[in-house]
Amino acid sequence: MSGRRRLGLVAAAATMMAAAPISTIYASWTWLVQCIIAVGVVCGAATLARSLRAPVWLQALAMAAGLLLITTWMFRSGDEFLGLLPSPETFAHFGTLGTQAVEDMRGYGIPVPDRDGLLFFTVLGVGGVAVVVDLLTVGLRRPALAGLPMLAIYSVPVAIYPESVPTLPFVIGAVGYLWLLVADNVERVRRFGRRFTGDGRDVDVWAPSPLAAAGRRLAVVGVVAAVAIPLAVPTFSSGLLTRLTQTTGAGEGNGSGRGGNAGKVDLFSALSGQLQSTETVPYLTVTTNEPDPYYLRFGVADDLTPEGFRNQAPNGRPANTEIQAPPVAGTRLPQTTYSARIKVSGRFDMPMLPVYANTTTIASLDSAWFYDPSLQIVYSNRRSASDAEYSFTYISAQYTADALRGSPDLAPESTIRQQYTQLPDLTAEQQAEVERIVDARTADAANQYDAVRALYEYFAKDNGFSYSVQTKTGSSGSDLLDFLTNKTGYCQQYATALAWLVREAGIPARVAFGFTKGSETAEPGTYTLTNQNLHAWTEVYFEGFGWVPFDATPASDVAGSVRGDWAPDVDATEAPTASAAPTTSVSPGAVSSGAPGERPERDTDELPPGAAPIAPQGPRWPWYAAAGAIVLLALLAVPAVLRSSTRRRRSAPASAATVAAATGAGEEAGRMSILGPSPELEKSRRDAHAAWAEMLDTMIDFRVEVNPAETPRNTVDRLTRSESLSPEAASAAAVLGGAEEHARYARTPLTGSDLGGALAQLRQGLSVHAGRRVRMQAVLMPPSVLRHWKTAIGDRYAAVVGLFGRWRDAALRLSPRRLLARSR
């Protein structure tokens, strides 16, 4: 291997080592596999260009083209030319992936799941750095400058989340850079033959140079110091020693089960990407024995800002341990314990599992999943909900207005009240507007429930509020104030606005995320939930009851909306009947509400009359495996099919040859000498050549050596002796050899031989002495076909190399350096 090729491989490997810190960003290793493939293609394109002695700018162009092709292949839009070459639609798809990546950067915390947009940016970034590192190291021979793009890769994780980069990835990246410098140093020394140590002694080429050894020692000391100093000096150890010594997922009550970055998913942003989606994607299949279940929930947002609520990282114990009893279990409310089983599809890619409120036990989950009793959510710091299947039990309490009115007010020093009544910093005008609304609605409230109920009824359509996914902007500087002014929005705006007003009244409130009731399937108690069922609502804390849901979004615009007498449908034309159990309110044409997928303009969640409900889809991998097996078998059968087709084509004309009369041979030869060869003789000559080619391929199939330099007679003699052919097979070989001899050297080819029969007789004679493995390989994977393919590839490669050589010569003639030299 030449020095430049070796240095190019080192540059590619060093680039991947510099990308090691990216492992702290992703929850899986998909990015690594894709980046290795992309960097490998870039390295291969550079090696091919250098083997053709292309100039540096052509090398850069070849690497960029390779990166584009592999990126197109990994992130296909479906409209590529020949399935690989990018089209205008491909670049439009890349733009969509870029937009998705920006949204994911805002919405996801560390570690992030495998999102196409983020993976696209990662592959494109690492591949681009690989191009720059290769050009600087091999093309321009400036490997020290290659540290800048390599440092850029390391800086990305640090900039995204500083505490997420531990020590080991930094060491790996530093070792890669040092490896690159050492490899370039060794290559430079090799180009000059022997090393000079400075004291006048000639030494062997592998003898250590004092200057190089000193440089390596300094580099090692520098890396060790960079790692050790932050660990040793307290001032520099903010978060680093903690991360090295902290155990995540311990599941203790002190909060060590927080799992570092678990739950840092911006639920509003993460779900808003599907808001305008025209595709209905099944997410969950829920089976419960509760006759009329409420909403499934998987997330909570409790940090209020002027722009809305944001969710904080949860804190809990492993979900497979004992779960703290919910507050409602100690009340005298009518309550029943139910069980549910949920099967999550592969499309619900979030580190949270949906459960019903007041969960009491959870089964079928390992220690990677945690349960936060305060937020009542199940989460993980390293798993995704995709394809999960689990069961749990929960308490369904029948809240009533009279019971909630008896709830005592929380003391001002209560932790829950202090935490869940915090308000954002507003201007004096903004604060005055919010206080005006709250004071006007709660002036006559005698207790906490009446105040909440008054604010809940404020969002009725009679007060000017309307449901629409196309929200209106304003000039107040606060999204929530804009909604209270324009009074147009969807479930997120309704839920956050109600929670804000309730907090302004001094009552704890937060926003919950989950799914509405969904569509019941043919099996009773089984519901299918899609992205169209995603929803957000408000939860208010009542002392002695826990968190009670209030859904302020108009029930007529939410498919599967559930209402009870403690929070009735304020837009109903008739007064709601007092009932202890929740009731489902679904209007004709209503669509589901939720962060994503809420579109009142389209009836995507409602089933038409008489239509069958959406059935849960089974796993698709068996179909893919079967299709892959069929394709593999078809590919393996290609050589056998080609060999059989070639044998029939060669043997058919030879078998159909007519035996000419012996008396007419002289007359035919006389006509040939005067008028030239006749068509019959030319056909006989072609048949002889085809039969001889078939004989040679048969010898190759049965592992008999073929020497193209031999004459047909020598080949027949060697075949007869080496293979110990039977008299019949030896006679058939002699017939084929004689026909080929006459076709090559005689003026008149043989026309009276049964070449097809001779080929069959020879093949039978060779198979008698061949082993079983050789016979099976001759039928299933004929070596002659593989040999022809190898020869054809070699010929094509030689032609391509010659073509690129001519292009290289033309490019060198157009080199700016030569043009400037000529102009002088």
Side-chain angles (χ1 to χ4, degrees):
M1 181 182 295
S2 65
R4 285 182 175 268
R5 293 182 181 178
R6 186 185 300 105
L7 199 56
L9 293 177
V10 173
T15 302
M16 288 306 306
M17 294 176 69
I22 299 180
S23 61
T24 60
I25 298 179
Y26 284 96
S28 66
W29 296 98
T30 304
W31 73 272
L32 180 61
V33 177
Q34 293 181 341
C35 288
I36 289 176
I37 296 175
V39 173
V41 170
V42 169
C43 180
T47 303
L48 178 61
R50 280 190 284 270
S51 65
L52 299 176
R53 298 184 178 180
V56 176
W57 64 272
L58 273 183
Q59 297 176 23
L61 186 61
M63 288 187 286
L67 178 59
L68 177 61
L69 290 179
I70 194 61
T71 306
T72 302
W73 177 74
M74 289 182 181
F75 304 95
R76 293 184 293 269
S77 65
D79 299 318
E80 287 76 18
F81 299 118
L82 303 178
L84 181 61
L85 300 179
S87 63
E89 290 78 10
T90 303
F91 294 103
H93 178 60
F94 288 169
T96 303
L97 290 177
T99 303
Q100 177 185 341
V102 173
E103 295 177 355
D104 292 339
M105 290 176 188
R106 297 173 179 173
Y108 283 91
I110 307 298
V112 298
D114 292 335
R115 303 282 295 176
D116 288 341
L118 296 176
L119 291 174
F120 169 74
F121 262 10
T122 303
V123 172
L124 193 62
V126 175
V129 170
V131 173
V132 177
V133 170
D134 189 274
L135 287 177
L136 293 174
T137 303
V138 185
L140 302 178
R141 302 310 299 268
R142 297 291 186 272
L145 295 179
L148 295 177
M150 295 170 66
L151 180 63
I153 300 181
Y154 177 78
S155 301
V156 170
V158 175
I160 292 177
Y161 197 72
E163 295 184 358
S164 66
V165 183
T167 307
L168 183 59
F170 167 74
V171 174
I172 294 176
V175 170
Y177 180 57
L178 293 177
W179 182 22
L180 186 64
L181 295 179
V182 171
D184 178 75
N185 176 265
V186 172
E187 175 60 23
R188 289 179 182 272
V189 171
R190 285 176 177 173
R191 293 177 62 186
F192 288 98
R194 295 185 173 182
R195 298 182 180 179
F196 179 68
T197 61
D199 55 3
R201 293 184 294 106
D202 289 334
V203 295
D204 187 71
V205 67
W206 293 108
S209 168
L211 183 60
R216 286 192 292 270
R217 294 191 190 99
L218 290 176
V220 172
V221 171
V223 173
V224 172
V227 175
I229 290 177
L231 296 175
V233 181
T235 307
F236 296 160
S237 62
S238 57
L240 185 56
L241 281 175
T242 305
R243 294 186 58 83
L244 290 176
T245 57
Q246 181 184 13
T247 58
T248 61
E252 300 297 329
N254 58 5
S256 60
R258 180 180 292 272
N261 302 314
K264 286 203 172 182
V265 179
D266 190 329
L267 296 173
F268 288 98
S269 300
L271 300 180
S272 61
Q274 301 182 35
L275 182 59
Q276 302 297 336
S277 175
T278 58
E279 179 186 11
T280 300
V281 181
Y283 274 164
L284 309 174
T285 301
V286 183
T287 302
T288 178
N289 56 356
E290 184 178 7
D292 193 11
Y294 198 70
Y295 299 159
L296 274 172
R297 57 201 307 283
F298 59 79
V300 171
D302 51 9
D303 183 19
L304 182 58
T305 68
E307 289 73 28
F309 280 83
R310 293 293 180 265
N311 54 294
Q312 297 181 351
N315 183 12
R317 297 167 56 98
N320 56 6
T321 59
E322 183 180 359
I323 293 178
Q324 178 181 346
V328 72
T331 65
R332 296 182 179 180
L333 288 176
Q335 53 187 262
T336 307
T337 300
Y338 295 103
S339 62
R341 185 177 70 256
I342 295 181
K343 184 177 182 181
V344 186
S345 72
R347 301 290 295 273
F348 188 70
D349 189 12
M350 294 189 69
M352 303 174 181
L353 294 177
V355 292
Y356 288 114
N358 301 319
T359 301
T360 55
T361 62
I362 303 177
S364 305
L365 292 180
D366 55 25
S367 58
W369 292 97
F370 297 87
Y371 181 77
D372 188 327
S374 176
L375 302 180
Q376 296 188 16
I377 63 173
V378 181
Y379 68 95
S380 176
N381 62 335
R382 58 181 184 273
R383 293 284 183 86
S384 171
S386 300
D387 299 320
E389 189 170 358
Y390 55 99
S391 59
F392 58 94
T393 60
Y394 63 97
I395 296 176
S396 177
Q398 300 177 6
Y399 301 105
T400 62
D402 293 337
L404 295 177
R405 285 192 178 95
S407 172
D409 295 342
L410 287 172
E413 63 274 8
S414 170
T415 304
I416 293 181
R417 180 166 183 173
Q418 292 179 358
Q419 178 179 356
Y420 292 100
T421 57
Q422 294 181 359
L423 297 172
D425 295 331
L426 302 176
T427 63
E429 295 77 6
Q430 294 172 341
Q431 185 64 32
E433 177 63 21
V434 175
E435 292 177 355
R436 184 190 64 80
I437 297 175
V438 173
D439 293 342
R441 302 299 302 183
T442 62
D444 299 331
N447 51 66
Q448 177 176 290
Y449 170 77
D450 289 340
V452 175
R453 179 71 175 268
L455 296 174
Y456 169 77
E457 294 177 353
Y458 171 66
F459 294 93
K461 292 182 177 180
D462 292 341
N463 292 327
F465 285 89
S466 62
Y467 181 94
S468 175
V469 295
Q470 303 297 331
T471 59
K472 298 179 180 180
T473 59
S475 58
S476 66
S478 171
D479 294 340
L480 292 179
L481 282 178
D482 292 339
F483 169 70
L484 294 176
T485 302
N486 300 322
K487 299 184 177 181
T488 301
Y490 53 99
C491 74
Q492 291 183 2
Q493 280 76 29
Y494 278 92
T496 54
L498 175 58
W500 189 358
L501 297 183
V502 171
R503 283 193 176 192
E504 184 65 36
I507 303 171
R510 64 190 186 186
V511 177
F513 293 83
F515 293 87
T516 58
K517 187 177 179 180
S519 303
E520 190 170 11
T521 63
E523 182 180 355
T526 300
Y527 300 86
T528 298
L529 279 63
T530 70
N531 60 326
Q532 306 299 321
N533 295 113
L534 290 165
H535 190 50
W537 63 94
T538 306
E539 290 183 341
V540 181
Y541 188 84
F542 288 87
E543 180 67 18
F545 298 92
W547 294 96
V548 180
F550 285 83
D551 189 0
T553 309
S556 60
D557 296 303
V558 180
S561 173
V562 179
R563 297 292 192 265
D565 75 330
W566 78 92
D569 183 4
V570 297
D571 298 316
T573 55
E574 298 180 359
T577 303
S579 174
T583 59
T584 301
S585 174
V586 182
S587 67
V591 296
S592 66
S593 175
E598 309 176 75
R599 295 184 309 280
E601 298 85 356
R602 300 183 68 245
D603 188 4
T604 55
D605 189 61
E606 289 286 328
L607 294 175
I614 301 175
Q617 297 182 356
R620 299 181 181 179
W621 68 264
W623 298 100
Y624 292 144
I630 294 174
V631 172
L632 180 61
L633 292 177
L635 293 176
L636 293 176
V638 169
V641 173
L642 291 178
R643 184 71 182 93
S644 177
S645 175
T646 303
R647 185 184 305 115
R648 288 195 301 269
R649 176 172 50 83
R650 289 171 174 172
S651 301
S655 300
T658 58
V659 179
T663 57
E667 298 177 2
E668 189 68 31
R671 287 197 303 270
M672 183 191 69
S673 62
I674 300 175
L675 303 176
S678 65
E680 291 78 7
L681 293 180
E682 286 299 316
K683 182 178 183 302
S684 299
R685 195 182 303 276
R686 290 194 302 270
D687 291 346
H689 290 324
W692 181 253
E694 177 61 26
M695 173 182 167
L696 296 182
D697 284 350
T698 303
M699 295 171 60
I700 295 173
D701 291 341
F702 287 96
R703 301 297 184 182
V704 180
E705 182 182 358
V706 173
N707 186 359
E710 286 182 336
T711 63
R713 182 173 301 180
N714 291 338
T715 300
V716 171
D717 293 341
R718 180 173 55 81
L719 176 64
T720 304
R721 292 193 309 270
S722 63
E723 299 300 320
S724 301
L725 296 178
S726 63
E728 294 81 3
S731 176
V735 170
L736 295 172
E740 177 64 14
E741 267 191 333
H742 281 76
R744 288 187 186 182
Y745 311 120
R747 298 180 59 188
T748 305
L750 291 179
T751 58
S753 302
D754 184 9
L755 302 181
L759 286 171
Q761 190 70 35
L762 177 62
R763 185 177 183 85
Q764 183 179 1
L766 290 175
S767 64
V768 171
H769 300 285
R772 178 181 300 179
R773 180 178 179 181
V774 174
R775 291 197 302 270
M776 291 182 61
Q777 189 173 10
V779 175
L780 301 178
M781 193 65 63
S784 60
V785 175
L786 303 181
R787 183 173 182 177
H788 287 315
W789 285 355
K790 182 178 180 181
T791 303
I793 292 175
D795 295 341
R796 297 295 185 276
Y797 177 75
V800 170
V801 169
L803 178 61
F804 272 97
R806 292 190 294 271
W807 287 359
R808 178 180 59 83
D809 294 338
L812 290 176
R813 286 194 296 269
L814 297 177
S815 174
R817 183 181 301 176
R818 290 195 174 189
L819 294 177
L820 291 175
R822 292 177 183 176
S823 63
R824 293 178 181 177

